[in-house]
Amino acid sequence: MRSLQQGDPASVGPYQLIARLGEGGMGTVFLARSPGAGLAALKLIKREYAADPEFRARFRREITAASRVSGLFTAPIQAADADASQPWFTTAYIPAPTLDEAVTAIGPLPEPAVRALGAGLAEALQAIHAAGLVHRDLKPGNILLAEDGPKIIDFGVAKAGDATQLTGTGGMLGTPAYMAPEQIAGSKDAGPASDVFSLGGVLVHAATGRKPFGERDEAALLYEVMYGEPELHGVPGSLHSLLAACLAKEPARRPRLEDVLTRLAPADPQALLSPALREAVRAKETEAHQVASRPIAVPPPLPRVGVPRRRVLGLTAIGAVVVAGVGGGTAAWALTRTEKSARPAPRGTALATAPPPAWTFTPPTALTDDAYLLVSGDVVLFGSTDGIWALDARTGRQLWTHDIPLGASDTVHGSTFLVIGGHDQLLNVIDATTGHTTTFHTNTDKISTGDIHGVIGNTVVLNTSGPKLSRGPVIAVDLTSGRTLWHYPAGTGTLDPTGAVDGTTVFINDKPALVALDPATGRKRWTYTWPTDLGSRDWDTFDITAGGGRAFGDFGGALQAVDATSGKALWSHPTDPKVDIAYDTVFLSGTDAIFKGTDVRAYDQATGTPKWTLYGPEPLAGLGGVAVSDGLIAAAFGGYSGYPQGFFTARTDGRLLWTHWGPATALEDWAVAVAGSSVFATDQRRAYCFRAGG
């Protein structure tokens, strides 16, 4: 343990740094004090990695996955911030020597102690692999010998099973003396079996005090790992065949961890805790207490290096030439994009685990199609094409049921649910409390109803389709009489038009234009043709939202705001041009427009000023995967693309609350809804209610 050095920060996030514990290839580990005066080990990632956005994305996924690791023989992650100028994470501080320190100070371990060590490490690796991680850098320096058993640490270099290497193009992740041949070769097969190889090498070191392939320069060492035989002289005879099997060159020839545990039995945990080790633990505890008790010296700053003024002026001039050369309009857009990028949201609670559900509801028969949720007051509507169930939002008790199917565009109007379903796609108005249903036969003109765009007063606006699913007009239906009030002809887009309403206007979004209609007559007020030169995607825009005198939509790779009265553009922000997100969506909350694309970000509705950005621990889900209220956000992730699934919750100020992990079924992911302080979710099998808290 060393004092803070020149250039070290005095604090990171809410943690005060006390001393240096060590330094590795990816960052520095500090002894830190939490706001509650607890001690933690904090790893601060180096700036060169922090500058790589791909590294940040992988780091975020891996830290979130690592937070799911639990077990007696691991040091769990407590907090993390992947969006800080230098990403960091903390684990509980364990005052104990590393295996490397213990072997150096005490000497090789006897056979019973090696068995106890191997059993603890194998169990820890099982927990790591169960979370979808591969450690990839198991070595004596990453193993603590605590009084209650060995602890594997440094999940910051663990690797999520679906991610690419973290060390950059062509880099290897691991320590050559203990890394598996497939890691050296850069093989995609460097999975859990590579940790078994490292485990074998670690146990050889514990039993003999030597590295498994000797002391050589790095090039020679890598060759020996790839093609040479391990040095097992001094390994107890009872462990020789097991460690030789763990160090097999081919991953398929290595034993599974459960087999390793079987072959290490019987393993007595007390055999590892020798008097010498107890003394080493006490020495670490005393050192930590002494360091944490004395006044903390502020680390000295780095020396200031003067920059000649002419150099600064030269850079400014170059910048001016670049801006001037691209033209006035484009320059203004470029400056806006550069100077007003979204501020990452605070992530201090990003890794919190969801509370237990307040209740769950399982339908009497398994669902055969994608499930959805709607909330009206104290009633949650849960269902699919198999039917619907109304549940008490407070208790989960079933109130009533109906065989009408529930779909993605069905909506809530006051104390009623508006559901398209039944023969000829009828419009059903269902009382939320009683389940009493009024059905309107809107197919009198040989058309069937489709997506609902919204309700103004007692008028519902929805799509229609004709024979053989041909596109019909957008219609307005009176909810009192069921009479069709007006028709608006569909455009030429390849997809059905989307729409939205506010208190005075109906907005129909049909490529390539947004039109504003009078809600009483259906007459067109204005047309706004979406510009496509703000982004790089040219396709139909998807969901739009209206409110506060503005309409919002993502078209051509840019989120755009349009004045509801005049139809004039107000502001725009490019969205992700690299990923084909089929369900970009905009929500309104307070004074914010919240856009869900590859991430979730908030803009001021009036000015377009970016406020915050939230990233999912895995790629965000599609249709039905995001819900927003005035206070809460829930967003689903993972699913059809093969990633781990679940959803996270946040406040609408961008402050993350917690994450729930769990698989969903069918082709869709989790569907979510929010109301008050409750988050309702379905994994396509049952409905859940969580209380948001925090």
Side-chain angles (χ1 to χ4, degrees), residues 68-135:
R68 305 197 302 270
V69 176
S70 62
L72 177 62
F73 303 115
T74 59
I77 287 179
Q78 295 178 326
D81 189 347
D83 295 314
S85 58
Q86 286 181 260
W88 57 269
F89 67 92
T90 64
T91 66
Y93 174 66
I94 301 171
T98 66
L99 175 62
D100 203 21
E101 292 171 333
V103 170
T104 300
I106 302 171
L109 304 183
E111 188 258 2
V114 175
R115 285 186 177 274
L117 172 66
L121 297 179
E123 187 174 321
L125 289 173
Q126 285 182 319
I128 292 169
H129 296 169
L133 287 166
V134 180
H135 194 288

Side-chain angles (χ1 to χ4, degrees), residues 154-210:
D154 205 351
F155 293 114
V157 294
K159 177 182 179 294
D162 61 335
T164 55
Q165 292 187 46
L166 291 175
T167 50
T169 304
M172 292 182 299
L173 180 60
T175 301
Y178 298 95
M179 67 195 307
E182 62 268 24
Q183 288 178 261
I184 297 173
S187 170
K188 293 182 179 179
D189 295 329
S194 66
D195 284 345
V196 175
F197 186 95
S198 301
L199 174 62
V202 164
L203 295 182
V204 168
H205 176 75
T208 66
R210 301 188 307 273

Side-chain angles (χ1 to χ4, degrees), residues 376-669:
S376 173
D378 289 331
V379 179
V380 179
L381 194 65
F382 167 59
S384 69
T385 56
D386 302 283
I388 53 179
W389 293 266
L391 311 173
D392 186 307
R394 296 160 297 188
T395 65
R397 178 176 61 89
Q398 180 178 314
L399 302 175
W400 49 265
T401 186
H402 206 300
D403 60 1
I404 297 173
L406 189 65
S409 77
D410 296 334
T411 191
V412 175
H413 175 51
S415 61
T416 63
F417 298 111
L418 304 183
V419 178
I420 301 295
H423 182 63
D424 286 334
Q425 292 294 95
L426 307 177
L427 173 61
N428 301 281
V429 182
I430 307 173
D431 183 275
T433 303
T434 66
H436 179 268
T437 302
T438 302
T439 300
F440 294 121
H441 296 264
T442 56
N443 62 334
T444 54
D445 295 323
K446 305 297 183 183
I447 57 178
S448 297
T449 51
D451 295 341
I452 297 174
H453 300 315
V455 181
I456 295 182
N458 276 330
T459 300
V460 60
V461 182
L462 61 162
N463 282 344
T464 65
S465 59
K468 297 182 180 180
L469 299 180
S470 61
R471 297 182 65 181
V474 175
I475 66 171
V477 176
D478 184 275
L479 287 174
T480 303
S481 64
R483 183 170 60 93
T484 299
L485 302 177
W486 49 260
H487 299 71
Y488 178 79
T492 59
T494 58
L495 300 177
D496 289 337
T498 57
V501 302
D502 64 9
T504 62
T505 309
V506 175
F507 302 93
I508 300 301
N509 184 39
D510 200 12
K511 185 179 181 179
L514 175 70
V515 297
L517 306 177
D518 183 285
T521 65
R523 292 193 181 97
K524 186 186 299 184
R525 291 177 176 169
W526 50 257
T527 299
Y528 173 74
T529 300
W530 296 105
T532 58
D533 59 349
L534 300 178
S536 60
R537 297 185 297 190
D538 183 18
W539 53 25
D540 298 68
T541 186
F542 294 92
D543 291 346
I544 61 171
T545 298
R550 307 170 191 89
F552 306 86
D554 179 36
F555 185 80
L559 174 63
Q560 303 174 48
V562 180
D563 183 83
T565 302
S566 65
K568 294 182 178 179
L570 299 175
W571 54 262
S572 66
H573 281 284
T575 53
D576 193 340
K578 300 178 182 179
V579 183
D580 292 348
I581 297 295
Y583 299 108
D584 290 357
T585 309
V586 192
F587 302 87
L588 302 184
S589 178
T591 60
D592 294 344
I594 296 177
F595 173 71
K596 176 261 177 180
T598 54
D599 49 33
V600 182
R601 56 187 62 196
Y603 302 92
D604 183 274
Q605 291 181 25
T607 65
T609 302
K611 291 191 171 182
W612 50 257
T613 301
L614 293 173
Y615 301 91
E618 304 290 349
L620 296 185
L623 190 63
V626 164
V628 176
S629 70
D630 284 340
L632 281 177
I633 300 170
F637 53 79
Y640 60 88
S641 50
Y643 293 92
Q645 293 173 284
F647 63 92
F648 67 85
T649 64
R651 295 295 183 193
T652 48
D653 62 1
R655 191 169 299 276
L656 283 160
L657 295 177
W658 45 258
T659 301
H660 175 79
W661 295 86
T665 60
L667 294 178
E668 293 296 333
D669 307 287

Side-chain angles (χ1 to χ4, degrees), residues 121-122 125-126 129 192 196 199 255-262:
L121 297 179
L125 289 173
Q126 285 182 319
H129 296 169
V196 175
L199 174 62
R256 298 176 303 168
L257 288 172
E258 50 263 45
D259 296 330
V260 172
L261 282 167
T262 299

